[in-house]
Amino acid sequence: MRTLTFYFQVHQPFRLKPYRFFDIGEDHYYWNDYLNRNVIRKVAQKCYLPMNSLLLELIQRYEGRFKVAFSISGTFLDQMEAYAPDVLESFQRLVATGHVELLNETYSHSLAALKSKEEFASLVRKHQERIKTLFNGYSPSVFRNTELIYSDQIGAMVEGLGFKGILTEGAKHILGWKSPNYVYSNALKPNLKVLLKNFRLSDDIAFRFGDKTWGDFPLTTTKFVSWLNALPKEEPVVNLFMDYETFGEHQWAETGIFDFMRHLPETVFTQSNFTFATPSEVLATLPAVGSIHVPTPISWADEERDLTAWLGNDMQDEAFDRLYELEKKIRKVKDPELLRDWEYLQTSDHFYYICTKFFSDGSVHEYFSPYDTPYDAFINYMNVLSDFILRVDTHLKNSA
Amino acid sequence: MKVLMFGWEFPPHISGGLGTACYGLIQGMNVHKQEVIFVVPKLWGDEEPVADFVNASGVTIDYRERRFKKLWKNLTYLEVNSYLVPYLGPQEFKKYTDYALHDRTDVAESIFSTNYQFSGKYGKNLMEEVSRYALVGAQIARDRSDFAIIHAHDWLAYPAGIAAKEISGKPLVVHVHATEYDRSGESVNFPVFEIERAGMHAADHVVAVSQLTKNICVRKYGIPPEKITVLHNAVLDASIIKSSFQKKVPEKIVTFLGRITYQKGPEYFVEAAKKVIERDPNVRFVMAGSGDLLNKMVDRVAELRMGTKFHFTGFLKGDDVDHMYAISDVYVMPSVSEPFGIAPLEAVRHNTPVIISKQSGVAEVLNNAIKIDFWDVDAMADAIFGLLHYQSIARMFTELGADELKKLKWEHVAAKLVTVYEKTLAQRA
């Protein structure tokens, strides 16, 4: 028996409003409510609502033989509560079927794993609590870090928080001759199992599906299943990890992406010996074949599969360092609004907007950014951060 | 005496200091009962009626005039189809050349039409507009005879001045508000340089806005010093502005306000900021404005790790400019080459002490300011630190600076200009 594991990332950041120098010291509300609401409503119509109802239909039709996993970021949960209760309800219905697994991540989709163990643990706990509250006491047992960022150290940290497994990218440069289609274990803590994304098959759906210049266009379920069948027989698991917005937003409905998903389970069941499983089911049934060594962090972004989409240029490093410099002071802060802003400011998207890798993956970056240039993104973020620093200092002075 | 003046912009439709200077000068001329015919490429209709305005877009060219054909031949050095366009950053330049190479087919026809609509801006058809403006100058000089002397402001209007002189035979004064060497350093835009050189040589007399500018005219353009008179700019209003706008941050604010281009020396301000912040964390630096070096400055600020203390506002207009001056504790103008530079005087009006580079014309008239070499970032940092911490100098500067301002009046400038006209006419006779 071989398994196919679908995991979808659901995330939207709290985008900043245009925040001017003159606002520093005066205006303490940073979030672009109008834009954030519009984005989530638009994507709800194109993706979240139709895709959730399709998944529910498939789960019911195959009586649990079809299943998927989600990681829903805390910023997305908060925005659903505020702007899209209908979407939240449809996710709750899916989870209630018992055939949908929820993964744990950092509450604010943050890069804290790279900087602070304490902050990381605090954000993981907060995400757990949010899921428990919103999904009828649900408690995740598998972890996925922001943007699938992973290293041996991060894995060890996650194991320390009590998780059985973690998801990451099957990056070529760490796998070498190895195949992503096995279960591996963390190099420092063998108890933590590692599931690797099969990026070729995942990206065939997520990136290439609607690309008419692609040699294999159009992608049919028969073609896709024939590729699954062509994999070496002894490889037990194929991990298809992608952004949930693939369905209807990155690949428009007109490309036939919904029809592809509607028919995929049927083709898998009739034309292959694959079944669907969630990450925790895979971890419970399959042993690790060996450990995987990842001394420097990897991610699922861009051609490089490294951290350079978020960190590395001077502006990104400056913004990142100035933010986390505040951590010690934040530990003494009790004000809920300050703490909320602290968490939302950590969202990785803010650093992604400051990326200057224009010439290779720039088009993807531009698509996701509300700013004209990375320079605008930096200026705006730093203005907000400057005000935030002032607020933290004033708060601590007043409460001392 | 009646003067035929050629300008390029006029308040309220201005993008730089040129229009404001022309406005001040005309105000001054009116005090002395001198009449001015003022030609601009485009009139918007809301200009204050201080002169006899002529809208170049409304002038019809009579191509039967043979002398115009000859003029046009001489104007071909403007290279109407030239891809060299001043005032464009690299990205705009690429957009322009793409457009010029692929989409543009209309040049030759429109320039010879009898009526031509000027944009009056500094856009992609600038060279075409400048040469067309020259033909308008010729037409006006042919139609009117009620002026004694011609006066052209900056290179955009020099070809018009030259043409008017050729048709009318009346003397020409060119007014140098800036040169290509100020704008571009040593990497000058050659067609612009050529127009400037031709204008200064064709002129009977040259007016420069500072000794600094006069020196450039002598050294770079080969104009004999005795043919140049220095007339410093003045201010329209020397009153002190009491703004009620309050600063929202506890730190002191040091400001750079201007175009973020080579000429204004923004990089020296950034380096000096770093030196000050290392000593005194209780300061914020603000770079207000936009320009082709903006992104480079943002990068450098990030590299120096002072992003939470050094802020960028983008282009400011209207009240925001006043607010910026009002909340500044020190104003710095580190220009590499500034023919005059009116901004520091605006800072003085807001009671803000100023630091200006020795390479600016305003340094010749403003005594109560700290003057440094633009490249000397240590001296700049010292001066900033001093003005922030030693209140007595700052107080002295603001008190005495206000008195100095009152002496800078456009009517004084106009009086000297009339003398220049009289001498020029006398030389002719």
Side-chain angles (χ1 to χ4, degrees), chain B residues 319-380:
Chain B
D319 287 347
D320 283 344
V321 178
D322 281 329
H323 294 166
M324 199 63 244
Y325 282 121
I327 61 172
S328 299
D329 294 284
V330 174
Y331 174 86
V332 186
M333 186 184 75
S335 294
V336 169
S337 182
E338 187 74 65
F340 190 76
I342 204 92
L345 301 178
E346 279 301 304
V348 172
R349 289 187 65 199
H350 285 87
N351 274 336
T352 304
V354 299
I355 298 168
I356 51 184
S357 72
K358 291 177 183 168
Q359 291 70 26
S360 69
V362 71
E364 297 165 20
V365 295
L366 190 62
N367 292 316
N368 288 287
I370 294 187
K371 296 167 195 176
I372 43 113
D373 284 306
F374 70 86
W375 45 262
D376 193 348
V377 294
D378 289 306
M380 202 185 298

Side-chain angles (χ1 to χ4, degrees), chain A residues 8 97 122 151 167 192 196 201 218 251 329 332 335 355 373 387:
Chain A
F8 304 124
T97 63
S122 142
S151 69
L167 275 52
L192 184 83
L196 300 174
L201 289 168
Q251 307 292 340
K329 289 182 183 172
K332 296 181 217 145
D335 179 57
C355 179
T373 70
D387 183 74

Side-chain angles (χ1 to χ4, degrees), chain B residues 28-92:
Chain B
M29 294 287 276
N30 285 343
V31 172
H32 299 286
K33 306 271 183 274
Q34 304 288 324
E35 288 177 90
V36 178
I37 307 163
F38 196 81
V39 189
V40 271
K42 182 176 173 133
L43 271 185
W44 298 77
D46 52 353
E47 291 84 1
E48 200 184 319
V50 287
D52 176 6
F53 282 110
V54 176
N55 183 1
S57 299
V59 173
T60 307
I61 308 281
D62 182 357
Y63 281 102
R64 289 166 303 178
E65 172 64 67
R66 268 202 209 122
R67 290 181 295 171
F68 288 1
K69 294 220 171 85
K70 193 178 144 242
L71 257 180
W72 183 249
K73 249 188 197 166
N74 292 338
L75 282 169
T76 49
Y77 66 77
L78 292 188
E79 294 183 44
V80 177
N81 284 310
S82 165
Y83 297 144
L84 282 166
V85 190
Y87 302 113
L88 291 188
Q91 276 148 14
E92 289 160 313

Side-chain angles (χ1 to χ4, degrees), chain A residues 20-26 313-315 317-318 321-322 373 375 378-379 382-383 385-386 389-390, chain B residues 245 248-251 253 284 286 295 298-299 302-303 305-308 311-313 316 320 323-324 327:
Chain A
R20 307 176 61 220
F21 166 73
F22 290 108
D23 297 330
I24 300 173
E26 180 164 64
N313 78 31
D314 281 320
M315 294 187 288
D317 292 350
E318 161 82 339
D321 292 345
R322 290 292 88 81
T373 70
Y375 300 96
F378 174 74
I379 290 170
M382 294 312 281
N383 282 348
L385 187 57
S386 301
I389 294 169
L390 283 175
Chain B
F245 192 77
K248 310 296 187 323
V249 291
E251 295 87 354
I253 294 179
R284 286 182 193 274
V286 179
N295 290 349
V298 174
D299 259 339
E303 196 183 343
R305 298 291 186 268
M306 49 181 187
T308 53
H311 308 277
F312 295 89
T313 67
L316 294 184
D320 283 344
H323 294 166
M324 199 63 244
I327 61 172

Side-chain angles (χ1 to χ4, degrees), chain A residues 82-94:
Chain A
Y83 309 129
D86 47 341
V87 178
L88 179 58
E89 231 168 80
S90 70
F91 274 113
Q92 285 165 334
R93 266 199 301 276
L94 276 173

Side-chain angles (χ1 to χ4, degrees), chain A residues 74-253:
Chain A
T75 53
F76 190 85
L77 294 171
D78 292 354
Q79 291 196 45
M80 274 199 294
E81 274 194 309
Y83 309 129
D86 47 341
V87 178
L88 179 58
E89 231 168 80
S90 70
F91 274 113
Q92 285 165 334
R93 266 199 301 276
L94 276 173
V95 175
T97 63
H99 303 294
V100 169
E101 179 169 350
L102 292 182
L103 308 181
N104 214 150
E105 61 170 295
T106 57
Y107 165 70
S108 59
H109 203 263
S110 113
L111 301 170
L114 302 166
K115 201 77 183 184
S116 157
K117 198 172 175 175
E118 202 186 344
E119 181 61 23
F120 178 71
S122 142
L123 289 171
V124 172
R125 271 196 306 275
K126 179 144 183 189
H127 193 228
Q128 268 164 6
E129 284 158 24
R130 287 292 280 153
I131 290 173
K132 196 171 275 178
T133 319
L134 291 173
F135 295 96
N136 201 19
Y138 190 99
S139 177
S141 58
V142 177
F143 192 79
R144 78 115 233 172
N145 195 20
T146 304
E147 307 290 344
L148 295 191
I149 291 169
Y150 176 81
S151 69
D152 295 339
Q153 287 299 336
I154 292 171
M157 211 156 61
V158 168
E159 195 263 358
L161 293 172
F163 291 98
K164 292 184 289 185
I166 187 169
L167 275 52
T168 187
E169 173 72 28
K172 267 189 204 155
H173 67 275
I174 58 143
L175 278 168
W177 55 269
K178 297 191 207 74
S179 158
N181 305 331
Y182 289 95
V183 175
Y184 292 89
S185 64
N186 177 267
L188 303 172
K189 303 278 183 183
N191 283 339
L192 184 83
K193 288 181 179 171
V194 183
L195 290 178
L196 300 174
K197 173 182 146 190
N198 183 314
F199 71 79
R200 200 184 71 87
L201 289 168
S202 299
D203 293 351
D204 284 340
I205 298 174
F207 295 139
R208 290 181 280 272
F209 186 84
D211 179 3
K212 291 183 180 162
T213 63
W214 178 35
D216 285 305
F217 182 89
L219 181 60
T220 60
T221 56
T222 315
K223 195 185 282 179
F224 193 76
V225 171
S226 76
W227 292 341
L228 290 174
N229 286 330
L231 294 170
K233 293 282 177 281
E234 62 280 12
E235 298 188 350
V237 59
V238 174
N239 294 315
L240 301 174
F241 299 168
M242 60 199 73
D243 279 334
Y244 197 40
E245 292 80 14
T246 297
F247 306 97
E249 172 66 18
H250 304 167
Q251 307 292 340
W252 290 1

